[in-house]
Amino acid sequence: MGNGALQASENGAAKAVRIPSLPGRQQHGGGQQVDTNCDAYKAGYNAAAADFRSELAAQENRHEEFVKSVGDMIADMDARYRQEALSLIERLFSAVAPSLAVKSSLADIMQIVEQHAVHGHSELDLRAHPSLIAHLSAADQKTLKETPLVTLKADESCAPATVDAQWKKGGLYHDPDGLIENVLKALRAETGAAQGDGHE
């Protein structure tokens, strides 16, 4: 109805009533247009813009807090699982390494005997722990007994897998037990460091 509306009068006749313009609106022809230069419009726009910036800043803060919480959670999981993984590696290495070292040392003994006594015809003195000598197979013990140039001494002061060999032109001190202990120390140090990182 343009700018007016019908309203019933006391005698029942309808007449046009003018509706006042809203702030910031001007009448032009048959419709209303926004007056962007009026103070009411500027105040409303500025208030809306301020609210929008405030909400945007709050949303960014929530996003940053979420990212930080996720980062902290991942860091905590990484430290915890790293510590658990290192502990597992340490236990596995502790369980497996000694037997592997013994097997390696037994093979080393026979290789040294074959290379320097059998083929090199050199006197060979071997020193090892009694438990290592006891692990030699029957065939290997027979070879040692039938090779006159070889002297095998059981020495309890040796570590379980240590082989001390001396021949005419050289020698070899094979100490896998020391290597195992060094590896375990390094693993324990790493595990302790991971545990410290996880409790920060």
Side-chain angles (χ1 to χ4, degrees):
M1 291 201 161
N3 295 325
L6 292 179
Q7 180 175 347
S9 64
E10 292 181 355
N11 57 9
K15 68 176 184 178
V17 178
R18 186 173 182 80
I19 299 175
S21 298
L22 296 175
R25 294 184 178 272
Q26 292 179 338
Q27 302 295 333
H28 293 284
Q32 295 178 341
Q33 292 184 351
V34 176
D35 180 7
T36 58
N37 292 319
C38 84
D39 293 338
Y41 177 85
K42 291 179 180 178
Y45 177 85
N46 291 337
D51 289 343
F52 176 75
R53 287 193 296 270
S54 177
E55 179 59 30
L56 184 61
Q59 184 176 357
E60 289 178 353
N61 288 337
R62 289 193 296 270
H63 175 72
E64 290 177 0
E65 289 175 1
F66 173 75
V67 170
K68 183 179 183 303
S69 66
V70 171
D72 291 344
M73 181 179 66
I74 292 174
D76 180 65
M77 290 174 60
D78 179 66
R80 185 170 67 251
Y81 291 140
R82 180 169 176 263
Q83 178 191 352
E84 291 175 359
L86 287 169
S87 297
L88 178 60
I89 292 171
E90 179 188 340
R91 291 196 299 271
L92 290 173
F93 187 79
S94 298
V96 174
S99 61
L100 293 178
V102 166
K103 290 180 181 179
S104 174
S105 295
L106 292 174
D108 288 342
I109 288 175
M110 299 316 298
Q111 183 178 3
I112 291 169
V113 169
E114 182 177 356
Q115 182 177 353
H116 297 287
V118 176
H119 296 297
H121 305 289
S122 172
E123 290 185 357
L124 177 64
D125 293 325
L126 291 170
R127 189 170 63 92
H129 194 274
S131 63
L132 180 62
I133 296 173
H135 278 92
L136 286 165
S137 67
D140 289 341
Q141 291 190 20
K142 181 180 178 182
T143 299
L144 290 172
K145 289 179 181 178
E146 293 177 353
T147 307
L149 295 175
V150 176
T151 300
L152 179 59
K153 179 183 178 182
D155 189 346
E156 292 187 354
S157 67
C158 291
T162 297
V163 176
D164 184 10
Q166 300 294 327
W167 55 89
K168 186 183 296 184
K169 294 183 180 180
L172 171 69
Y173 185 76
H174 180 57
D175 183 24
D177 301 281
L179 177 61
I180 291 171
E181 185 58 32
N182 288 336
V183 172
L184 286 174
K185 285 180 180 178
L187 284 172
R188 288 167 189 148
E190 285 295 320
T191 303
Q195 184 175 9
D197 292 341
H199 289 142
E200 286 182 356

